[in-house]
Amino acid sequence: MSMGTAERCGAPDREVPAAEADTVAGERRPAYRPLWSEEPARRRRMPDPVRTAAVRAVLVVAVTLILAMVAFLCTLAESWLAFPMVLASVAGTVVATWGVLDVWVTRQVWNQRHGVVSAPSSTARAVRRERRRVRRQARAADGGRERIGRRGNAGQLSHP
């Protein structure tokens, strides 16, 4: 059996027994109320490679913003460090752009490899079905002639 925090710290028990529950306007409140209630997630969790790329991109963008701010402040202070910080900010911007593109590409690759299926619209499905039907009919019409031609003289009733 596990001990609660109050028991471990030796603090007095603060739960109100059900018989002594506070009453507000004649209504009884329950003695125990949880601090929070679980809610289902609104969106599914990102796949691990995409989440890793996103965390990396956020960190790079944050460092780039800090570099840009330091470069700006050094410029205002007319410090010798301003020029190297501007160069670092430009390099950071290039790396941050790469990081954001990496998230996008990783997400696209994940969706392509792991079966995120897009359902075509009903009109696209109907058009495809019609094309297939026409192709099948054309194949059936051509295929019969080709088979007869392949047999050679087998289609003749008599020899000339």
Side-chain angles (χ1 to χ4, degrees):
M1 188 167 140
S2 66
M3 293 174 38
T5 306
E7 292 172 352
R8 275 181 289 182
C9 295
D13 189 16
R14 294 194 178 195
E15 282 190 23
V16 178
E20 299 175 12
D22 295 336
T23 58
V24 176
E27 295 180 11
R28 293 183 71 98
R29 289 192 308 186
Y32 171 76
R33 289 184 303 153
L35 293 175
W36 64 84
S37 60
E38 296 288 332
E39 293 180 9
R42 292 183 185 169
R43 291 174 23 170
R44 287 177 36 211
R45 184 173 144 162
M46 278 192 293
D48 286 341
V50 178
R51 196 169 57 247
T52 303
V55 168
R56 187 172 43 236
V58 165
L59 290 175
V60 168
V61 168
V63 168
T64 302
L65 287 173
I66 291 170
L67 284 173
M69 186 180 63
V70 170
F72 176 71
L73 293 175
C74 286
T75 303
L76 289 179
E78 298 178 2
S79 170
W80 64 270
L81 201 56
F83 183 67
M85 293 311 279
V86 168
L87 290 180
S89 301
V90 171
T93 303
V94 172
V95 174
T97 305
W98 170 83
V100 171
L101 284 175
D102 181 44
V103 173
W104 182 67
V105 169
T106 306
R107 186 171 164 268
Q108 296 299 326
V109 168
W110 176 268
N111 288 344
Q112 210 169 35
R113 287 186 184 163
H114 294 89
V116 176
V117 180
S118 62
S121 65
S122 58
T123 55
R125 198 176 295 126
V127 168
R128 240 188 357 254
R129 194 178 298 133
E130 180 63 27
R131 269 195 226 129
R132 254 186 261 129
R133 187 181 59 78
V134 168
R135 253 187 272 132
R136 223 178 284 127
Q137 287 175 347
R139 227 181 296 129
D142 291 343
R145 281 188 235 124
E146 284 180 14
R147 271 189 303 231
I148 293 172
R150 273 187 297 217
R151 285 190 232 158
N153 293 335
Q156 294 179 351
L157 295 177
S158 60
H159 293 288

